[in-house]
Amino acid sequence: NTNKLLDEVFHSEKIYKLNDDMACSVAGLTSDANLLTNELRLIAQRFKYTYGESIPCEQLVSWLCDIKQAYTQSGGKRPFGVSILYIGWDKHYGFQLYQSDPSGNYGGWKATCVGNNWNAAVSMLKQEYKEDDMKLSDALDLSIKVLSKTLDMTKLSPEKIEISTLTRENGKTLIKILPADKVEELIKKYEAAEAEAEAAKKEKKP
């Protein structure tokens, strides 16, 4: 927890597993996020119960966005104050990334960001994301760099950030939340690279 006064028994997560092949991350009102992620899980389980297979990623996103959109036009209701990033895999399109906003709009992305300072983060991703030669390790390094430049904190720490990966092994989707020691390792690697780049800049100066 970022606040020393918070009870460690209570954990407010930002990354939610939806089914065997999908997870999501949220930005906004946590109470709304809890309700919507429960709805996503119900939709996914109903589909699996009916058809015997995991729901296609975009279909799950689309069905939830229909609900979100309805709340923007019904009298006596307010829109859900949460943006969601969805990661997933299905047999139709492979690995996928979607983003939806409170209005119910959604879109597919190669890399994107939601939340505070998202403009700066997306601008960095546009410059540094290279689709053709981006490995998982490179993506993790880039995510730490983007978080370091855009989060409102002087120094990154494993207690303040949460990172998840989605991979395929032996025909199964694996969704992992990185342990604190792995996140610490990524942060140290980034800080060392930054220090090296700074030292190289100073050497070039006359």
Side-chain angles (χ1 to χ4, degrees):
N1 286 321
T2 57
N3 191 322
K4 290 187 291 185
L5 298 177
L6 284 174
D7 190 346
E8 290 296 329
V9 173
F10 177 78
H11 178 63
S12 178
E13 58 188 359
K14 285 281 188 178
I15 297 173
Y16 302 78
K17 184 175 178 180
L18 303 176
N19 63 7
D20 291 338
D21 295 305
M22 284 190 75
C24 72
S25 182
V26 299
L29 298 176
T30 306
S31 54
D32 285 4
N34 289 336
L35 191 144
L36 289 179
T37 49
N38 282 338
E39 187 63 30
L40 283 163
R41 288 166 176 162
L42 282 170
I43 294 168
Q45 290 307 311
R46 286 190 196 113
F47 187 96
K48 187 158 189 176
Y49 181 78
T50 305
Y51 300 104
E53 61 180 32
S54 288
I55 187 170
C57 298
E58 186 174 359
Q59 192 169 340
L60 179 57
V61 175
S62 175
W63 284 3
L64 184 80
C65 285
D66 287 345
I67 296 170
K68 291 170 83 173
Q69 191 279 332
Y71 273 74
T72 68
Q73 64 180 51
S74 301
K77 296 179 180 177
R78 65 161 177 81
F80 292 102
V82 61
S83 291
I84 305 176
L85 280 181
Y86 314 77
I87 54 171
W89 182 93
D90 65 37
K91 62 185 179 183
H92 305 287
Y93 297 109
F95 294 104
Q96 292 157 73
L97 171 68
Y98 294 94
Q99 173 194 341
S100 70
D101 60 33
S103 70
N105 279 332
Y106 76 90
W109 296 79
K110 294 173 182 174
T112 191
C113 180
V114 295
N116 288 340
N117 299 328
W118 68 271
N119 272 320
V122 169
S123 179
M124 281 186 69
L125 288 171
K126 280 181 184 175
Q127 294 173 1
E128 308 214 19
Y129 177 77
K130 297 174 178 62
E131 184 182 5
D132 297 329
D133 54 4
M134 179 72 72
K135 297 177 184 173
L136 179 58
S137 57
D138 299 326
L140 289 170
D141 291 340
L142 179 56
S143 66
I144 291 291
K145 183 175 183 178
V146 171
L147 288 170
S148 175
K149 301 285 187 186
T150 56
L151 284 179
D152 295 325
M153 59 180 71
T154 52
K155 183 175 167 59
L156 289 182
S157 71
E159 295 81 33
K160 294 180 181 178
I161 59 175
E162 195 174 21
I163 297 176
S164 178
T165 61
L166 184 144
T167 55
R168 291 281 293 176
E169 287 181 26
N170 303 319
K172 290 186 177 181
T173 304
L174 296 179
I175 299 168
K176 296 178 184 173
I177 292 180
L178 300 189
D181 58 339
K182 176 63 176 172
V183 176
E184 179 71 38
E185 188 182 310
L186 289 168
I187 293 170
K188 285 180 178 175
K189 181 181 176 184
Y190 165 73
E191 287 173 347
E194 283 290 288
E196 197 175 306
E198 194 65 34
K201 275 184 189 177
K202 287 179 181 176
E203 283 180 13
K204 285 182 181 178
K205 287 181 181 178

